[in-house]
Amino acid sequence: MIDVFAAIAIGLGAGAAAFFGALLLRPSRHSVPEVAAALAPVPERTEILLTGPRVIDMTVSARQMVDCAVAEPLDWTDLVCALTPLFGPLPDQPPQEETILTSEGNPDLRLVISPQGPDLRLTVSGPPLGLGAQLRLQADRADLDRLRRTMALVPCPIWQSSDSGQTLWHNAAFEDICAQMGCAADGPCPFDLLPAEDEDTQVTRVSAPDLQTGGTLWFEVQSHRVPEGWLHVALSIDAIITSEMSQRNFLQTLTRIFAHLPIGLAVFDKERRLVLFNPALIDLTALPADFLSVRPNLLSFFDMLRDKRMMPEPKNYQNWRDKLGDLIAAASSDLYIETWNLPSGLTYKITGRPHPDGGIAFLFEDISAEVSLTRRFRQEIETSHAVLDCLDDAIAVFSQMGVLSFCNEAYRDLWNSDPDITLTETGVTDATRLWQAQCRPTPVWGDLRDFVLNLTDRAIWDAELDLLCGQRLICRVEPVAGGATLVRFSRIGAVVPHPEPSLHDA
């Protein structure tokens, strides 16, 4: 009995499956292309209607195309500006006969201008836009809105021009600059730009009058070649121009000042090129003016000095030239001072000083007269010392401040002291203490100290001294030029032995 019911259930299941399978596999009355055509979006008409030059009606798609609001009034000029980037140049006046224009980027996209009596109808036709293209367009529109906001807020002028110089697109900053210059933003480029034909990028420095302030606007324009022409980005360099003019005026002022300076001046910039020199440099170094005017570098400058024999000839010039980097480093840190003894007999003092912005300044000073005077003065001093050393009298000279400045050989022998070998200065108090220790008691020393340190009412005086060894001396004190004092000790007769001083004498 159970087997009978199982067989009946299986049969009913098989029959139901066969019925529904046949129903699902039955062909539809509509084909696949017909269904796809029914589901495809119907393209919206893009039309604009004008009466005369004024737009009286336009579809939603047309308003999206020209990017305008619903209640915004438009005319033929506005349509020309909006449709020229899409379909090329349009006539300045509405045409009187039917005209068909195609898009340069999409030949399937057409603009038909049809006169209809007093009206003019503009119809844009093209292939329908698929779902993927619509989604991509929606994403690109978000980027486009973002870029438009960015371009509107960018403070530097940005615009695109054709090869003939006509402005095709610009941002808000460009409009502001054109307003300052008193010209139209949609007209020819207000800047005098001549992009090179063989270069894709060019940087040009231009100026334009500012009608609002009466001054001059300076820009550095970077031009980049694009398929439609040129894309320009202008950066304001008013501050740079002002700084350069101030620097140029400052250099001119320095040049006028240094023109009367007897010291030769050579200033090199951070690139080690000569940027400033004065006439004294030409007179001292005999370098030609045309050579200095071409802004030679530091190595060429010293090479020319060597060729003109205006610097000491080093034993190995190549090694000296290799060490020129050390010279530059020393001059950069304000440590370079040298004295050049030239073959002509002249003596130059060369000083290197750091210059602002990484430059170096060299000063050439003729110190031949000073060196000659110093040598002559030193020779006279040496001669005077030699003469005084030949005298038998012991001589000591004290300065205005009471410091022992000179003593001869007889002084060293008499008092058995050489002040030149001590590191400290010997004052009149130290000297009189030394003399007093080798002489019998006398009140002379106090008077001598007062005389050396006194600057008024001074006259020559002398006194007799008795050495402990029995020798008698004449001490003569006399003022000399400059507030100095000369003390001379002269021996008198033979040595006379003195008895030891008693307690009473002491």
Side-chain angles (χ1 to χ4, degrees):
M1 192 67 178
I2 296 176
D3 295 338
V4 174
F5 284 113
I8 294 173
I10 293 173
L12 292 175
F19 173 77
F20 284 107
L23 183 62
L24 292 175
L25 293 177
R26 186 178 61 182
S28 175
R29 291 179 300 173
H30 302 284
S31 62
V32 173
E34 293 177 351
V35 174
L39 296 178
V42 178
E44 184 181 357
R45 295 171 60 86
T46 304
E47 293 186 352
I48 304 174
L49 185 63
L50 293 86
T51 298
R54 188 169 59 90
V55 177
I56 61 173
D57 192 14
M58 58 193 315
T59 62
V60 177
S61 176
R63 291 190 179 277
Q64 294 176 353
M65 179 181 64
V66 299
D67 193 13
C68 69
V70 176
E72 182 178 356
L74 299 176
D75 56 9
W76 175 256
T77 303
D78 298 329
L79 296 181
V80 170
C81 296
L83 299 178
T84 296
L86 299 176
F87 300 97
L90 275 71
D92 297 335
Q93 299 296 330
Q96 301 299 324
E97 58 184 9
E98 185 175 0
T99 305
I100 299 177
L101 301 175
T102 59
S103 176
E104 297 180 357
N106 187 2
D108 297 332
L109 186 62
R110 298 190 308 167
L111 171 64
V112 179
I113 306 175
S114 304
Q116 297 177 356
D119 299 335
L120 185 69
R121 184 180 299 274
L122 280 68
T123 304
V124 178
S125 61
L129 196 63
L131 179 59
Q134 292 182 12
L135 295 176
R136 182 70 264 170
L137 181 61
Q138 184 177 357
D140 292 342
R141 178 174 291 275
D143 292 339
L144 179 61
D145 294 339
R146 189 180 301 110
L147 291 176
R148 284 180 175 177
R149 290 193 299 269
T150 302
M151 289 294 102
L153 297 177
V154 169
C156 59
I158 303 176
W159 73 99
Q160 184 176 344
S161 64
S162 62
D163 292 332
S164 60
Q166 185 69 25
T167 302
L168 303 178
W169 172 87
H170 57 81
N171 65 344
F174 182 81
E175 292 184 4
D176 297 338
I177 294 300
C178 291
Q180 289 182 272
M181 299 170 57
C183 59
D186 297 332
C189 180
F191 300 105
D192 187 11
L193 300 176
L194 295 175
E197 297 181 357
D198 55 345
E199 296 182 2
D200 294 336
T201 301
Q202 184 176 358
V203 178
T204 309
R205 179 175 290 188
V206 296
S207 63
D210 187 356
L211 301 182
Q212 296 181 358
T213 62
T216 303
L217 302 175
W218 285 91
F219 295 94
E220 185 178 80
V221 181
Q222 298 181 4
S223 303
H224 305 274
R225 185 180 293 277
V226 293
E228 297 81 5
W230 290 89
L231 179 64
H232 310 277
V233 179
L235 301 177
S236 177
I237 56 173
D238 292 338
I240 298 177
I241 294 298
T242 303
S243 177
E244 291 179 354
M245 293 179 63
S246 300
Q247 184 179 10
R248 188 180 301 109
N249 295 334
F250 179 69
L251 289 177
Q252 292 177 356
T253 303
L254 289 182
T255 303
R256 288 193 294 268
I257 295 175
F258 294 149
H260 305 284
L261 189 68
I263 300 176
L265 176 66
V267 180
F268 297 84
D269 59 8
K270 60 182 179 181
E271 303 296 335
R272 302 298 181 259
R273 288 198 167 274
L274 184 65
V275 294
L276 177 65
F277 65 93
N278 62 342
L281 181 69
I282 301 176
D283 299 336
L284 293 176
T285 61
L287 296 179
D290 54 352
F291 169 75
L292 299 176
S293 301
V294 298
R295 301 181 60 192
N297 56 30
L298 196 59
L299 296 179
S300 302
F301 179 80
F302 279 99
D303 287 340
M304 182 61 72
L305 286 179
R306 176 175 176 266
D307 296 339
K308 294 290 184 179
R309 299 177 61 84
M310 295 307 298
M311 63 177 297
E313 182 67 25
K315 296 181 180 179
N316 191 330
Y317 181 75
Q318 186 61 36
N319 293 341
W320 184 88
R321 200 172 188 274
D322 295 338
K323 294 180 180 179
L324 195 59
D326 299 336
L327 180 148
I328 297 174
S332 301
S333 58
D334 200 5
L335 297 176
Y336 179 73
I337 298 178
E338 278 192 2
T339 300
W340 288 0
N341 296 315
L342 305 181
S344 59
L346 299 176
T347 303
Y348 285 177
K349 178 183 177 182
I350 314 299
T351 306
R353 291 287 184 265
H355 192 265
D357 198 19
I360 300 176
F362 285 95
L363 304 177
F364 294 79
E365 183 178 1
D366 186 1
I367 59 173
S368 303
E370 298 179 8
V371 171
S372 178
L373 181 62
T374 303
R375 291 173 181 173
R376 189 182 306 111
F377 182 68
R378 186 182 296 113
Q379 184 178 4
E380 292 178 357
I381 292 179
E382 292 176 355
T383 302
S384 301
H385 287 183
V387 171
L388 293 177
D389 286 338
C390 295
L391 298 180
D392 295 334
D393 294 344
I395 295 176
V397 180
F398 292 91
S399 66
Q400 183 179 359
M401 304 302 297
V403 178
L404 181 62
S405 58
F406 171 74
C407 62
N408 63 349
E409 191 67 28
Y411 175 89
R412 299 184 183 92
D413 296 340
L414 175 62
W415 301 111
N416 194 22
S417 174
D418 188 359
D420 295 337
I421 63 176
T422 60
L423 299 178
T424 60
E425 295 179 343
T426 301
V428 64
T429 303
D430 300 328
T432 54
R433 187 180 296 114
L434 173 66
W435 303 339
Q436 185 178 1
Q438 301 184 34
C439 296
R440 294 179 62 82
T442 176
V444 173
W445 312 120
D447 297 338
L448 192 149
R449 286 192 292 268
D450 295 339
F451 185 88
V452 170
L453 299 177
N454 189 14
L455 302 179
T456 59
D457 299 333
R458 303 201 307 169
I460 302 175
W461 61 275
D462 53 23
E464 293 187 3
L465 302 175
D466 294 331
L467 298 179
L468 296 179
C469 63
Q471 178 69 50
R472 301 188 63 189
L473 301 176
I474 293 293
C475 176
R476 171 162 291 190
V477 184
E478 55 183 292
V480 294
T485 304
L486 184 144
V487 182
R488 182 170 59 183
F489 300 94
S490 303
R491 290 182 174 86
I492 303 176
V495 178
V496 178
H498 291 278
E500 290 296 329
S502 61
L503 183 60
H504 176 73
D505 296 335

